[in-house]
Amino acid sequence: MEQYKRILLKEFDSRQKVITELTNLEAILNLPKGTELYISDIHGEFAAFDYILRSCAGILNEKIKDCFGDSLSEDHKDRLSALVSYPELVLGEETKGQDWYQETIPQLLNLLAFAGAKYSRSKVRKALPPQYAYIIEELLYSDRALADKKSYFENILTYVIELREAVPFILGLSRSIRQLLIDHLHVVGDIFDRGAGSAQVMDELQHFHSLDIQWGNHDIIWMGAFFGSKACLLNVLRIAARYGYLWDIEKDYGLNLRSLTLFADKTYQSNPKFRPILGGREQEFSEEEILQLEKVHQALAIIQFKLENQLIKRRPEFQMQEHVMLDKIDYWEESVTIDDTKHPLVNTCFQTINPENPSALTPEENQAVESMLASFQSSLKMAEHMSLLMNKGSMYKIYNQHLLFHGCIPLEPSGELQPFILNQAHYSGKELLDFFEYHIRQSAKNKEVGDDLSTDLIWYCWRGKLSPLFGKEKMTTLERYFIEDKDTHKEVENSYFSYRNSEKVCQLILEEFGLFSQESRMVNGHTPVKTGKGESPIRGGGLLFVIDGGLCKAYQKKTGTAGYSLLNNSYGFQLVTHQPFQNAQKVVESPFAQTSLKKVIENVEERTLIKSTTIGQSLLAQQQELFCLLHEFYDR
């Protein structure tokens, strides 16, 4: 404590400096809170995710309307929105003349001032591009109603244009406007899998100015793979082969999959059940490439089932013995018995399975796994992305008195908290999420060991019955590949998913996490909201928002929309409904046609100030420390 005081005294070495900082903190505490954006279930759909950020989930269009009103035509506001969202595309369309820059840059400055009006000058300055911060501030705070200042403004602007700095200047202004419109980003899980752009999403998150991440089940298998879990790794790669982006992640992360492809090519034949689901990318692949993916897909699935069999047998404490599926198969008859019912198997590809020891990898399979794991763990970009997940991520987050988590809080059919029992210890509710987070962070400390309890628990998070990230009785991957009877494909959800409609249960969960405020809410992702079937993203009497982003195109037929995101500003929550994203060029051509629909959920009587937020609590603590410093050293 004494050392901390010495540090404070060194920074604030006079009474006046302390007074100045106290005044500054008091001013910030009484400003309106910034706007937060909540989004989940991105699933590698980079273009759609990027659009939501660039359009600020519809806020950009609103701010342009509010800022300019009738002073600009609708077409002009359209073009200004497109410019701020996609300046690279708009500026690259055709050569812009000096008149265009003379007209457009002042409009962007006006919009920047409007967006930053509720912030301190210090915060606005931090959002500006460093190389242009001084120039922008000079332009921003010049009173153009005064003749001298108007001339000063015009001279600076003309000089910037003549020096051919107008394009990077506009790029910087556009980024600053977007940053001021979305002050903080919450990613409520499932960044990875199903889409080809997970690496690009992570790249963008790395450079986002302020964010937190709640891990989803699809994120956790990437983390588990990087920390040494072979079972997690095979799930990651199998899903990538299934959805046709295996070669994308091979390129993005510099993976070496050669041993896998050589093994698969000579071992497996065409199998339509394993044909990749390519969606709109079908034309990007030749038939030879699709056949190669079919073969690799089969190899990955069989190796995954073997490794999972091994893990379940290694961990009897997980109580998953019923899921040792390879041991239940009659390989001569090609059938399997589940719940006393025998089911014939179809689309089989069991040529590497030894019926006497179904879990055993062949030497070639083992070599492929070791090679893939080494490649995955040695990828520098992968290391950067996993570091971001660890530094910014957690199982849950309490932020501004709201509870954020991806999946569920496991509940008994009675509605009580359901315990996960491990070695006679019981974990439920908040303690369960803390337990898993502890082991995830333990696993991250030693990537060389992949079969320790902590790393195996990451795999359990992916598909275990009492995982708060999975939330189902069992995962039926093998059944979906090889059994035609769809009754065997059912994955029964945890009772949480029915009880989350109960206001009483949602309130009990909030209280379990120490949240007793009437303003507290829960935010989940994980399950697509089937709007076409009348489902609502608002549950539990308004205490819970389910915001599965629905960005994954595979879900959009079920949801009827491209899902939801959530905004929270000083006036309360607003729910945003997204339309299916086409492409950036469509936005440039008609930005308001691509706009999202927004529903105001609540309007608070008084605007929420920074002093009432999580950041505000930290600033109040700083203020208190400075008061102590003032009284102890300067007011004696």
Side-chain angles (χ1 to χ4, degrees), residues 263 267-271 273-274 294-303 305-306 326 331 334 345-353 365 481-482:
F263 163 70
T267 306
Y268 293 93
Q269 293 78 44
S270 175
N271 188 334
K273 183 64 178 180
F274 289 84
E294 276 185 31
K295 293 179 177 181
V296 168
H297 188 182
Q298 293 171 78
L300 290 168
I302 296 301
I303 298 172
F305 299 144
K306 288 182 176 183
L326 294 184
Y331 290 95
E334 293 206 328
L345 300 177
V346 295
N347 315 306
T348 57
C349 47
F350 298 150
Q351 46 266 54
T352 69
I353 295 179
E365 286 174 327
Y481 279 122
F482 300 126

Side-chain angles (χ1 to χ4, degrees), residues 299-312:
L300 290 168
I302 296 301
I303 298 172
Q304 174 193 316
F305 299 144
K306 288 182 176 183
L307 291 172
E308 290 182 329
N309 253 37
Q310 293 176 19
L311 194 156
I312 292 169

